[in-house]
Amino acid sequence: MATTIRCDIVSAEAEIYRGEATMIVATGEMGELGIAPRHAPLITRLKPGKVVVTTAEGEQLDFAISGGILEVQPQVVTVLADTAVRAEDIDEASVRAAKEEAERILAHRGEAMEVAEAQQRLAEVSAQLQALERLRKNLKH
């Protein structure tokens, strides 16, 4: 039997995932992190991007997050995300529309605050689109 660690992914709105995992991969400020059972305790900030959870059964679950905090404790890994969504729950049409709007704002260089918000939104929707692409790729195999 493989060694596992509990993984909780929580957003401001709801608990997104809770289960046993053999590996959790997330995008930290300094790059991608791989967390396996018995990992040293740590806390780090997460950038908008992906979280991939490999379950005890070997299934890979893909999530897109808009940033947050990852905490590793001896028995549990907690992802506290600003927003988080499972790849299969992403509404591609609305994500593409949000991406186009953010790109439009950036192209026209609006006010500084508007540009910063557009950059953040662009990072979020890009992470969601990447999660969709990974989901489609995994479904083909």
Side-chain angles (χ1 to χ4, degrees):
M1 181 170 116
T3 304
T4 62
I5 189 166
R6 193 176 85 222
C7 177
D8 296 338
I9 300 176
V10 182
S11 75
E13 294 88 29
E15 180 177 86
I16 307 300
Y17 174 78
R18 173 177 283 206
E20 295 297 312
T22 57
M23 176 67 80
I24 298 110
V25 177
T27 307
E29 284 188 316
M30 303 299 282
E32 281 198 355
L33 301 163
I35 309 297
R38 298 190 187 115
H39 193 285
L42 72 88
I43 295 177
T44 189
R45 291 178 53 182
L46 296 174
K47 292 176 21 177
K50 66 179 179 178
V51 174
V52 179
V53 177
T54 304
T55 67
E57 295 78 31
E59 180 183 7
Q60 286 195 334
L61 305 176
D62 224 327
F63 302 87
I65 65 165
S66 62
I69 304 287
L70 178 130
E71 178 184 30
V72 179
Q73 296 178 3
Q75 304 300 318
V76 64
V77 174
T78 305
V79 176
L80 302 170
D82 301 325
T83 61
V85 63
R86 287 179 182 253
E88 61 264 18
D89 295 337
I90 295 171
D91 178 1
E92 185 174 8
S94 66
V95 170
R96 290 202 183 279
K99 181 179 184 221
E100 289 171 9
E101 174 66 12
E103 288 172 338
R104 183 191 61 75
I105 291 170
L106 290 173
H108 292 96
R109 287 293 180 192
E111 305 229 355
M113 188 62 177
E114 189 177 40
V115 168
E117 289 172 0
Q119 288 172 330
Q120 176 66 25
R121 185 67 182 139
L122 184 58
E124 291 172 15
V125 297
S126 294
Q128 290 180 359
L129 288 172
Q130 289 170 356
L132 272 175
E133 290 171 13
R134 287 189 305 273
L135 177 64
R136 287 186 182 132
K137 180 181 160 195
N138 289 338
L139 290 176
K140 288 179 183 177
H141 288 106

